[in-house]
Amino acid sequence: MTITEKNINNFAIISLQGILNASSAPKLKSHFEQSPEGVSVVIDLEKVEFIDSSGLGVLVGIARKKKASSAVLKLANLNDRVKKVFEITQAYTLFDIYDDVTAAAIE
Amino acid sequence: MKTIIITKKSDYTWLRDIFPGLHPLLIPLCNKPFIEYLIDFSILVGSSGLRIISDGVISDVENFCEHGSQWGVEISYANILPSESLSKVLEKNSRFCSGERIMIISGLLFIHYNKRSDYRSFFASLPPGEIFGCSNGNLSLTGVPSELGKQETPPLLSPVVLDCIGQYYELSNEILHHRLADYVLPGYSNEAECFIGRNVVLQKSVTVIKPIIIGNNVQIFTGSVIGPGAIIGSNVIVDRESTVSESIVMDNTFIGEQLEVDKKIAAGNLLIDPESGYSLTMEDPHLLSGIKSKGISGSPFQRVTHGLTAAWMIMLLLLPYLLLKPFLKLSGCWKTEKIVYHSMKHGKKISLNRVSIEKQSILASIAVFLSLDRFTWLFWVLNGHLAIIGCSPVSVSQGIQIINNNTAGYRPGVFSYSEAEDWPQNTFDSDIVDHYYAVHSNLIKDIFLTQKALFNRIHHEDKI
């Protein structure tokens, strides 16, 4: 999985590309462990080809940590495959989900 | 122009009590799902795209509408949180809305329209803001109006909020008796006020009194009288010499012989009086019953394998259970609590003993090691109420909040997927894992995860 990062309006925009499963989830987790906790983040999931329960687990963990440090985690651009998993697991109730990265990166 | 349809769970609590498992946007109005009326209307208004937004499960609606190719309009879906305001919803869907005029239909709002009227120019010229609004639903517009093609006389536009079963019945009746010509309705119609679906068998001496609507795969037996004002859904059997008038018979319903159904709604074995809202559950399947549709409990081979595994485990654990349980019970390490759970079989409930074993002795550790606390649950696998591995069962008192019985995600098991994946129990995270595997599981995964669950339980904390 490829992780790219840029900044818009004091939000860190993390774009993920590839598969977010048990083998790639630790990479995303360690990426966030290395970044400052108080920074709000938008994760762009447009190019995520597959996400499983481990991937969802990491996203839930990141959301919790951000909430604890008074920052926010927003998700944007969920493609149909990712949306399906969020729908099945009803994980959408845990996240702020936007259809556009720029709109998500507004305080 | 684009359309956003927002339905929140709070808009349709009344409906879920009466028709559990049926998404409100899919409730049939004269055998046409509610959402189809909204799609037709948004097309008449000139929408090129439609987004269906909900704070609940919308997979059933998505499966039905798909991407909208059936109507020639692009349909997409999004989820919101229950507390979110309209401005927040628009912000979250800003890419969809970008620069376009948006018509927003919020709540369970039905809009009477006429398929022959021109709504396009009328809606284009309306100023932004609320067109119609009440506590349970509204119709509003955003964006800049166009002066082109402004109409002097507004076309028919009459909204109705569906907020109780009586309203649903009245609306269905109004369409059937007065507005059949206004909508495109399913079925063929050689004469006015009579719509009949595919594969409908009317046996000899059946009397049909217009207006009526009959769905697909319907059998009406000898001597029955259908109508006036009968709306019969698909996969319905009306047995001999019965009468259905001024009533709605929902899909997959059997009406027994020599029955008179007048001014009622029949749905499976439920008979509802729309005027008072009272409902009656019929216990006698010869009077009124549901016709079984395909279940969600996995393939037959998967179910048989679960059953065989349960039988094998029962044989293996019977002796240790009989020997250890009395001893542990006497020593106070074995505590039971009877809890009623939702079964895998739709609408059924099961009463299970939730056992907690305190690992205070070697015998207690052996009991935990052998998962004897779940021993009695194994019998429920044999009659199909539980799977060997699945979601954690949801208790009736807890309601079905997270796990919805209209999704394919609820398959309660003796052991849960979250136990297999070693997630903390009874948290939202464990529900996510349970749902994920309940939908994505197969036989191989089930076998592997059952072993994993058993292994994890051995290494778990002191008390199970």
Side-chain angles (χ1 to χ4, degrees):
Chain A
M1 188 185 59
T2 318
I3 303 171
T4 50
E5 188 170 343
K6 62 179 178 181
N7 278 293
I8 302 177
N9 301 336
N10 296 327
F11 274 81
I13 313 292
I14 313 278
S15 301
L16 307 181
Q17 188 172 358
I19 292 168
L20 183 53
N21 61 5
S23 58
S24 58
K27 187 180 173 185
L28 182 63
K29 199 176 174 185
S30 67
H31 181 92
F32 275 92
E33 277 166 358
Q34 286 158 19
S35 62
E37 276 190 2
V39 176
S40 294
V41 172
V42 176
I43 301 183
D44 183 354
L45 297 167
E46 190 174 20
K47 290 175 183 162
V48 171
E49 292 159 19
F50 174 78
I51 184 165
D52 74 353
S53 61
S54 307
L56 274 174
V58 171
L59 293 178
V60 172
I62 296 165
R64 280 224 181 95
K65 277 185 186 162
K66 289 291 169 192
K67 202 174 178 183
S69 58
S70 304
V72 288
L73 170 71
K74 295 178 181 180
L75 304 181
N77 279 341
L78 274 68
N79 61 44
D80 284 351
R81 289 178 298 271
V82 175
K83 215 180 264 180
K84 196 99 189 161
V85 175
F86 273 69
E87 170 83 17
I88 288 164
T89 58
Q90 301 196 18
Y92 57 80
T93 53
L94 299 175
F95 299 99
D96 255 350
I97 301 171
Y98 288 72
D99 70 349
D100 184 58
V101 172
T102 322
I106 296 171
E107 294 275 356
Chain B
M1 171 82 86
K2 284 183 177 175
T3 301
I4 285 181
I5 296 168
I6 305 169
T7 45
K8 292 189 176 179
K9 279 190 268 190
S10 55
D11 298 329
Y12 55 83
T13 43
W14 64 273
L15 191 75
R16 293 187 62 138
D17 297 338
I18 299 162
F19 306 126
L22 187 65
H23 194 283
L25 290 177
L26 296 178
I27 55 163
L29 283 163
C30 291
N31 286 350
K32 178 169 168 142
F34 179 51
I35 185 69
E36 275 200 65
Y37 289 92
L38 298 181
I39 294 171
D40 287 354
F41 178 65
S42 60
I43 291 168
L44 284 174
V45 163
S47 290
S48 59
L50 204 136
R51 179 158 286 185
I52 299 167
I53 300 174
S54 174
D55 61 351
V57 178
I58 45 173
S59 54
D60 288 353
V61 182
E62 199 171 342
N63 290 338
F64 177 76
C65 301
E66 295 180 332
H67 291 293
S69 53
Q70 190 184 333
W71 298 274
V73 64
E74 198 180 320
I75 300 178
S76 56
Y77 308 86
N79 289 108
I80 50 163
L81 302 175
S83 55
E84 277 171 350
S85 64
L86 180 60
S87 57
K88 185 76 177 170
V89 172
L90 294 177
E91 188 191 320
K92 282 189 163 185
N93 293 279
S94 56
R95 186 189 275 188
F96 175 79
C97 301
S98 61
E100 292 260 3
R101 190 123 228 247
I102 305 289
M103 178 174 74
I104 302 152
I105 302 169
S106 175
L108 272 192
L109 186 72
F110 181 86
I111 300 149
H112 280 298
Y113 60 86
N114 187 320
K115 64 187 178 192
R116 293 177 197 87
S117 300
D118 176 26
Y119 292 88
R120 196 176 286 246
S121 49
F122 174 68
F123 267 78
S125 64
L126 282 175
E130 196 171 87
I131 300 165
F132 167 82
C134 72
S135 58
N136 293 324
N138 63 53
L139 176 69
S140 55
L141 278 170
T142 66
V144 186
S146 143
E147 288 298 314
L148 290 170
K150 195 169 181 175
Q151 288 180 323
E152 293 298 322
T153 331
L156 167 74
L157 194 71
S158 151
V160 177
V161 177
L162 288 175
D163 54 5
C164 64
I165 191 71
Q167 190 68 60
Y168 168 74
Y169 177 78
E170 269 179 35
L171 179 60
S172 301
N173 262 346
E174 194 186 342
I175 295 172
L176 182 65
H177 287 282
H178 307 293
R179 294 178 188 266
L180 275 179
D182 289 354
Y183 308 101
V184 178
L185 290 170
Y188 66 86
S189 175
N190 282 339
E191 45 190 302
E193 300 184 328
C194 183
F195 287 81
I196 295 180
R198 295 187 308 271
N199 191 26
V200 172
V201 179
L202 301 174
Q203 289 192 355
K204 62 179 180 181
S205 70
V206 166
T207 309
V208 172
I209 307 164
K210 294 188 288 184
I212 55 135
I213 294 183
I214 300 176
N216 301 325
N217 308 317
V218 174
Q219 288 187 57
I220 297 167
F221 284 69
T222 315
S224 295
V225 180
I226 305 299
I231 301 168
I232 294 179
S234 294
N235 308 316
V236 168
I237 298 169
V238 179
D239 212 340
R240 67 185 180 91
E241 292 167 23
S242 287
T243 304
V244 180
S245 57
E246 301 297 339
S247 296
I248 302 169
V249 180
M250 304 295 277
D251 293 355
N252 308 311
T253 299
F254 168 77
I255 305 276
E257 61 180 55
Q258 294 178 328
L259 280 187
E260 194 178 314
V261 182
D262 183 45
K263 294 182 182 133
K264 297 281 183 291
I265 299 173
N269 65 344
L270 198 70
L271 196 65
I272 303 158
D273 178 24
E275 205 173 308
S276 62
Y278 290 129
S279 61
L280 193 68
T281 307
M282 296 285 189
E283 294 295 334
D284 185 351
H286 297 291
L287 287 176
L288 193 71
S289 66
I291 295 169
K292 279 186 184 172
S293 52
K294 194 172 168 274
I296 50 144
S297 47
S299 68
F301 186 61
Q302 205 170 350
R303 287 202 300 274
V304 168
T305 313
H306 279 240
L308 288 173
T309 312
W312 178 77
M313 285 180 78
I314 288 168
M315 283 194 290
L316 200 74
L317 301 175
L318 183 63
L319 194 62
Y321 179 79
L322 292 174
L323 290 173
L324 291 177
K325 188 195 160 186
F327 181 80
L328 292 171
K329 212 167 180 180
L330 281 172
S331 61
C333 298
W334 182 286
K335 285 171 187 156
T336 56
E337 187 189 358
K338 205 174 251 312
I339 301 174
V340 181
Y341 293 100
H342 289 285
S343 157
M344 184 157 65
K345 290 183 179 174
H346 182 74
K348 305 259 177 182
K349 296 175 179 81
I350 47 172
S351 178
L352 299 176
N353 278 327
R354 183 164 275 281
V355 177
S356 57
I357 304 171
E358 282 171 27
K359 276 201 219 170
Q360 288 174 347
S361 62
I362 296 170
L363 289 178
S365 298
I366 293 169
V368 171
F369 179 83
L370 295 171
S371 292
L372 294 184
D373 55 314
R374 303 283 168 90
F375 178 77
T376 51
W377 293 24
L378 292 167
F379 291 94
W380 291 99
V381 181
L382 301 178
N383 54 18
H385 285 280
L386 290 178
I388 273 284
I389 190 155
C391 302
S392 305
V394 174
S395 73
V396 172
S397 59
Q398 193 182 330
I400 289 202
Q401 289 289 321
I402 298 163
I403 302 166
N404 203 310
N405 61 354
N406 66 0
T407 67
Y410 186 58
R411 196 170 65 122
V414 175
F415 305 104
S416 71
Y417 293 115
S418 51
E419 279 178 311
E421 291 288 30
D422 212 9
W423 281 71
Q425 290 300 291
N426 304 320
T427 62
F428 197 91
D429 301 8
S430 65
D431 287 335
I432 287 175
V433 176
D434 281 347
H435 283 139
Y436 181 84
Y437 280 111
V439 173
H440 291 98
S441 75
N442 54 40
L443 192 58
I444 308 288
K445 268 187 192 164
D446 280 358
I447 293 167
F448 173 69
L449 289 164
T450 307
Q451 287 174 352
K452 239 179 132 180
L454 285 166
F455 183 78
N456 283 344
R457 286 169 57 80
I458 296 164
H459 293 87
H460 234 268
E461 64 265 40
D462 291 341
K463 189 179 162 186
I464 287 238

